């Protein structure tokens, strides 16, 4: 079965603290993994994808095929990072996204 | 502005009514999608069209009928609305069925069925 699991519904941290949003996936082939972010009253937008291996807004995510994980990390959280974060998987051959349940990140001053 | 746009932004209606949501993208993409976000913020794909052809239908009730008059538009018509249809519906588009699988999302339509 194709599935994305984000175990935390809410992650609450203070400004300057490190952040790790967990994502595990279940897929037997070679998926493409993404992190999407939804700021308050804004549309869903792409944050990162594993194939580009880039850092956006200080966030990074590494695909670990052995642990089937794609955790999102940032060393020092900022208040403007407060948003809903979705991990998503695109299975090979199908151009659809399977989303996790989302994690709300709240960064407090 | 190059983007994915949806109308209306909000839709409040009574049970049993029929309603439509429109989606347009001017990104030149071949593939368009409809997603449903429920009250718990869970996002699930409903349909996908590639060049006006239906390619994904994720066991959505047949009260929901997508229509793609051209590859820049994908509308969603819902018959006999039920309370459980209340959700935010997102349209998205992507370049095609191969290559980059990044999807670009519209602002969402919040449907409330009373």
């Amino acid at each position: 079965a194709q599935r994305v699991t984000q175990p935390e519904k809410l992650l609450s941290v203070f400004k300057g603290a490190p952040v790790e949003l967990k994502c595990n996936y279940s897929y037997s082939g070679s998926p493409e993994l993404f992190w999407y972010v939804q700021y308050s009253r804004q549309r869903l937008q792409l944050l990162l994808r594993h194939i580009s291996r880039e850092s956006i807004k200080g966030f990074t995510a590494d695909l670990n095929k052995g642990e089937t994980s794609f955790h999102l990390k940032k060393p020092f959280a900022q208040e403007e990072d407060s948003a809903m974060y979705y991990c998503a998987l695109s299975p090979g051959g199908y151009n659809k996204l399977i989303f996790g349940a989302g994690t709300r990140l709240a960064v407090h001053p | 502005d190059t983007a994915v746009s949806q109308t209306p932004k909000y839709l409040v209606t009574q049970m049993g009514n029929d309603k439509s949501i429109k989606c347009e993208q001017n990104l030149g993409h071949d593939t368009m999608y409809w997603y449903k976000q429920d009250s718990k913020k869970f996002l699930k794909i409903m349909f996908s069209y590639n060049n006006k052809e239906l390619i994904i239908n994720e066991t959505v009730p047949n009260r929901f009928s997508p229509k793609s008059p051209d590859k820049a538009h994908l509308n969603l018509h819902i018959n006999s609305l039920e309370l459980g249809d209340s959700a935010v519906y997102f349209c998205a588009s992507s370049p095609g069925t191969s290559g980059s699988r990044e999807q670009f999302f519209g602002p969402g339509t919040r449907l409330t069925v009373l």
Side-chain angles (χ1 to χ4, degrees):
Chain A
Q2 302 161 357
R3 190 165 52 240
V4 176
T5 303
Q6 292 179 251
E8 302 133 333
K9 282 184 91 168
L10 172 66
L11 189 61
S12 192
V13 301
F14 286 104
K15 178 181 167 182
V19 165
E20 183 179 46
L21 287 81
K22 291 186 168 34
C23 173
N24 286 89
Y25 66 90
S26 171
Y27 181 65
S28 55
S30 294
E32 191 168 344
L33 275 296
F34 302 86
W35 276 99
Y36 278 81
V37 61
Q38 189 175 28
Y39 299 103
S40 179
R41 296 193 196 89
Q42 292 188 30
R43 67 185 69 199
L44 208 62
Q45 55 189 285
L46 179 69
L47 181 64
L48 283 177
R49 51 183 161 178
H50 88 269
I51 57 171
S52 51
R53 302 182 66 82
E54 57 200 342
S55 172
I56 303 289
K57 299 184 179 182
F59 285 97
T60 58
D62 289 317
L63 178 62
N64 185 324
K65 289 187 179 178
E67 295 182 0
T68 57
S69 69
F70 188 55
H71 303 325
L72 183 69
K73 297 177 186 178
K74 184 168 182 175
F76 307 104
Q78 303 298 316
E79 287 177 68
E80 55 264 31
D81 296 329
S82 296
M84 194 76 177
Y85 290 80
Y86 291 94
C87 183
L89 173 157
S90 180
Y94 293 92
N95 214 19
K96 68 177 180 181
L97 288 174
I98 298 166
F99 284 92
T103 298
R104 180 167 295 285
L105 174 64
V107 182
H108 303 286
Chain B
D1 262 352
T2 52
V4 181
S5 58
Q6 293 178 230
T7 53
K9 202 168 176 180
Y10 300 96
L11 189 50
V12 182
T13 188
Q14 300 284 335
M15 256 174 40
N17 284 351
D18 304 339
K19 289 292 177 188
S20 291
I21 307 171
K22 295 188 175 183
C23 178
E24 176 181 3
Q25 56 93 5
N26 60 7
L27 298 165
H29 290 164
D30 288 337
T31 310
M32 295 184 74
Y33 312 81
W34 278 108
Y35 288 86
K36 180 179 179 181
Q37 185 179 45
D38 63 23
S39 58
K40 295 182 180 172
K41 301 288 189 184
F42 187 61
L43 268 162
K44 193 170 190 297
I45 188 161
M46 300 172 69
F47 300 104
S48 174
Y49 269 72
N50 185 60
N51 267 321
K52 305 191 295 174
E53 302 279 334
L54 178 67
I55 54 172
I56 294 173
N57 180 342
E58 291 281 318
T59 58
V60 179
N62 57 15
R63 296 183 296 104
F64 290 78
S65 50
K67 284 190 173 49
S68 183
D70 55 62
K71 73 174 194 177
H73 296 84
L74 180 61
N75 304 323
L76 184 65
H77 189 75
I78 316 170
N79 288 328
S80 305
L81 278 155
E82 299 177 358
L83 293 176
D85 298 332
S86 295
V88 181
Y89 292 84
F90 286 97
C91 178
S93 71
S94 68
T97 51
S98 60
S100 170
R101 300 184 216 171
E102 177 186 351
Q103 294 186 16
F104 296 78
F105 284 80
T109 296
R110 183 174 294 277
L111 171 65
T112 304
V113 182
L114 303 173

